Amino acid sequence: MKGRNMTRWRDPAKDPRQEPKSNLITAEGAARLRGILDHLSRVKRPALSAKVGEAAALGDRSENADYTYNKKELNRVIARIRYLTKRLDELQVVDRLPAKTDKVYFGAFVTLEDEEGEEIHIRIVGHDETDTAKRWISIDAPLAKALLGKSLDDDVTVKAPAGDTTYVITDIAYRDPATPTR
């Protein structure tokens, strides 16, 4: 069993996973997390508990693959429920627009133009709602940190592994939290 549960040692002072994450979340992100928690608590956990009970009733649990699989899945769901419950208590829901909508703040939809003239559309959201497919980035990301407080037509330089990249802010927009999403 050598190395089964071993991970690479990381210096805590340099480990990016140890950096404090912001506790901000949009109203729609909080609603999505509550929906996931509700589904896991009301639907998934009772169904898995029933499956584990049925498999346990069959007899020898040591050689019962159905019991082993469902028990592991149930433990994973319980851990996720515990995490979401704790995380939702810690989060601060941002449910209003900023006073100045002409600057980049949390929840902003920002259009950037890079040095080659290509446009990039991003949204600054909380750590729990990042989505690369939608180009929603965490407020803790280097690009988001560089954008915060900037205005239209400001230049923003971001340090990246491939080198520094400069962007120009071409549009800033906000979605009213009271308006339902698509």
Side-chain angles (χ1 to χ4, degrees):
M1 289 246 227
K2 182 179 176 186
R4 180 173 175 213
N5 292 320
M6 307 260 320
T7 58
R8 190 178 87 199
W9 183 85
R10 292 183 165 100
D11 182 7
K14 297 178 183 175
D15 188 1
R17 297 174 302 166
Q18 302 299 324
E19 292 177 8
K21 304 291 183 206
S22 72
N23 287 331
L24 299 177
I25 192 167
T26 62
E28 62 198 68
R32 187 179 66 77
L33 286 182
R34 280 190 213 99
I36 292 170
L37 177 62
D38 186 56
H39 173 74
L40 291 174
S41 299
R42 295 179 189 261
V43 178
K44 193 110 179 185
R45 183 178 179 184
L48 284 171
S49 294
K51 284 182 181 180
V52 168
E54 290 170 8
L58 295 176
D60 187 14
R61 295 179 189 173
S62 64
E63 295 181 8
N64 190 337
D66 196 31
Y67 173 81
T68 304
Y69 172 77
N70 287 316
K71 184 68 175 175
K72 283 182 181 179
E73 188 68 14
L74 178 63
N75 287 336
R76 191 185 64 77
V77 167
I78 291 170
R80 183 75 174 149
I81 290 170
R82 197 174 304 130
Y83 169 79
L84 286 174
T85 303
K86 182 180 175 189
R87 187 69 180 146
L88 282 168
D89 288 341
E90 296 171 349
L91 292 173
Q92 178 184 352
V93 179
V94 178
D95 56 356
R96 62 184 180 281
L97 294 175
K100 292 184 175 185
T101 56
D102 60 334
K103 292 189 179 239
V104 178
Y105 296 110
F106 181 81
F109 290 88
V110 183
T111 304
L112 304 170
E113 187 176 303
D114 65 7
E115 295 155 339
E116 285 84 39
E118 291 185 38
E119 283 194 343
I120 301 168
H121 305 279
I122 62 166
R123 183 179 187 194
I124 300 174
V125 294
H127 174 72
D128 298 291
E129 35 184 352
T130 57
D131 187 347
T132 54
K134 293 180 181 179
R135 289 200 177 234
W136 288 10
I137 64 171
S138 170
I139 192 165
D140 301 318
L143 177 58
K145 286 180 179 179
L147 288 171
L148 289 176
K150 302 289 185 185
S151 300
L152 202 60
D153 296 326
D154 281 356
D155 289 341
V156 178
T157 303
V158 181
K159 294 181 190 248
D164 291 357
T165 307
T166 303
Y167 297 100
V168 176
I169 300 173
T170 58
D171 187 39
I172 302 169
Y174 290 90
R175 180 185 300 156
D176 187 7
T179 306
T181 59
R182 313 176 217 149

